[in-house]
């Protein structure tokens, strides 16, 4: 009986302490973080107009991060649709193209089909599946994987104050890696598409 009372007391104490913790949204000011940390990656230029969008699955990718180093009773929430949306609106991505629109009407489209995010071992891990449509006819689906820069020192010394910044930085470096891979592929696919169109135009002109 005494042991049960001790267990019940500890559970109640844990619940009280946990409810007294702080929950921080990592994505709330991610746009500002991108503005303050732009031009860190050299992307290829793609001389075309593209549209972009997200599948319904991406909107649902909401993650909660726990960290003993950042404070055992503190939580950090991150929504990947917000992170990806702010990334696509950033100057770094917009400047890759002649124009990049948030719509599904363009004949060239980038669709983020699925995303999986995890923050562990002091860094972000991201898997993204992207569907690309060129000239409303060619469809390419490919998965990309990346891990962000580790943030152990910042998390250890900064504790709760620096934890959000650590998550943002590692998330951005993982995103930079993923999109450098993707836009390098897209640049090549677009050049192949233009070469194919030129070949067909030459054949039809004979």
């Amino acid at each position: 009986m005494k042991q049960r009372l001790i267990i019940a007391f500890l559970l109640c104490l844990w619940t009280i302490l946990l409810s007294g913790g702080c929950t921080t949204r990592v994505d709330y000011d991610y746009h500002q973080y991108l503005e303050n940390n732009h031009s860190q990656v050299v992307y290829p230029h793609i001389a075309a107009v593209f549209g972009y969008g997200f599948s319904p699955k991406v909107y649902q990718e909401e993650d909660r991060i726990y960290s003993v180093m950042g404070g055992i009773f503190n939580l950090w929430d991150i929504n990947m649709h917000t992170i990806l949306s702010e990334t696509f609106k950033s100057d770094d991505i917009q400047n890759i193209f002649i124009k990049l629109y948030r719509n599904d009407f363009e004949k060239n489209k980038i669709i983020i089909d699925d995303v999986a995010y995890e923050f562990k071992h002091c860094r972000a891990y991201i898997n993204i599946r992207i569907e690309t449509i060129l000239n409303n006819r060619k469809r390419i689906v490919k998965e990309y994987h990346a891990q962000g820069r580790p943030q152990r020192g910042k998390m250890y010394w900064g504790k709760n104050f620096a934890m959000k910044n650590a998550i943002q930085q590692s998330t951005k470096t993982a995103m930079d890696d993923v999109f450098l891979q993707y836009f390098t592929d897209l640049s090549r696919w677009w050049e192949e598409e233009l070469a194919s169109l030129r070949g067909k135009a030459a054949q039809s002109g004979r």
Side-chain angles (χ1 to χ4, degrees):
M1 183 67 178
K2 185 177 180 180
Q3 187 177 10
R4 290 182 180 177
L5 288 173
I6 292 172
I7 293 172
F9 172 76
L10 290 174
L11 286 173
C12 288
L13 180 61
W14 176 265
T15 302
I16 292 169
L17 289 172
L18 189 61
S19 64
C22 174
T23 300
T24 303
R25 290 221 61 91
V26 176
D27 51 77
Y28 178 74
D29 59 351
Y30 191 69
H31 65 283
Q32 188 63 55
Y33 183 83
L34 293 179
E35 287 181 15
N36 295 339
N37 296 273
H38 62 86
S39 303
Q40 296 182 345
V41 179
V42 179
Y43 292 109
H45 180 65
I46 300 170
V49 177
F50 270 75
Y52 71 93
F54 308 96
S55 75
K57 289 178 286 188
V58 175
Y59 290 82
Q60 300 167 7
E61 184 62 26
E62 179 88 15
D63 295 276
R64 173 158 284 182
I65 299 165
Y66 305 83
S67 171
V68 174
M69 296 170 74
I72 191 169
F73 300 116
N74 296 315
L75 306 170
W76 292 265
D77 289 344
I78 183 168
N79 180 272
M80 291 313 294
H81 169 257
T82 302
I83 296 295
L84 285 161
S85 181
E86 296 298 342
T87 299
F88 270 82
K89 288 189 290 186
S90 69
D91 288 343
D92 284 348
I93 301 301
Q94 290 288 322
N95 290 337
I96 294 172
F97 301 91
I98 294 175
K99 284 289 184 181
L100 179 63
Y101 295 103
R102 172 70 173 91
N103 65 52
D104 298 325
F105 308 122
E106 304 300 328
K107 62 181 181 179
N108 302 307
K109 303 180 186 68
I110 300 167
I111 301 167
I112 305 299
D113 184 53
D114 200 8
V115 58
Y117 176 91
E118 191 174 13
F119 193 93
K120 62 181 182 181
H121 309 312
C122 304
R123 65 170 62 184
Y125 295 80
I126 297 176
N127 296 333
I128 298 181
R129 184 167 66 242
I130 305 176
E131 177 181 351
T132 306
I133 299 173
L134 302 178
N135 285 316
N136 279 335
R137 65 177 190 85
K138 186 175 182 179
R139 178 176 177 267
I140 305 166
V141 179
K142 187 173 178 179
E143 283 197 16
Y144 297 87
H145 316 279
Q147 57 188 37
R149 191 176 301 154
Q151 301 293 307
R152 187 171 289 103
K154 185 179 293 184
M155 291 167 59
Y156 180 79
W157 294 108
K159 302 295 183 182
N160 183 44
F161 178 77
M163 181 67 181
K164 184 177 79 168
N165 182 264
I167 296 172
Q168 288 179 333
Q169 183 173 356
S170 192
T171 299
K172 182 184 183 300
T173 55
M175 285 288 184
D176 288 346
D177 190 348
V178 161
F179 285 118
L180 181 59
Q181 295 176 57
Y182 172 68
F183 288 121
T184 299
D185 282 346
L186 182 56
S187 177
R188 186 182 73 254
W189 296 336
W190 181 245
E191 290 302 320
E192 291 171 354
E193 178 70 6
L194 291 179
S196 175
L197 292 174
R198 285 193 294 265
K200 290 179 180 179
Q203 287 181 351
S204 63
R206 289 176 182 174

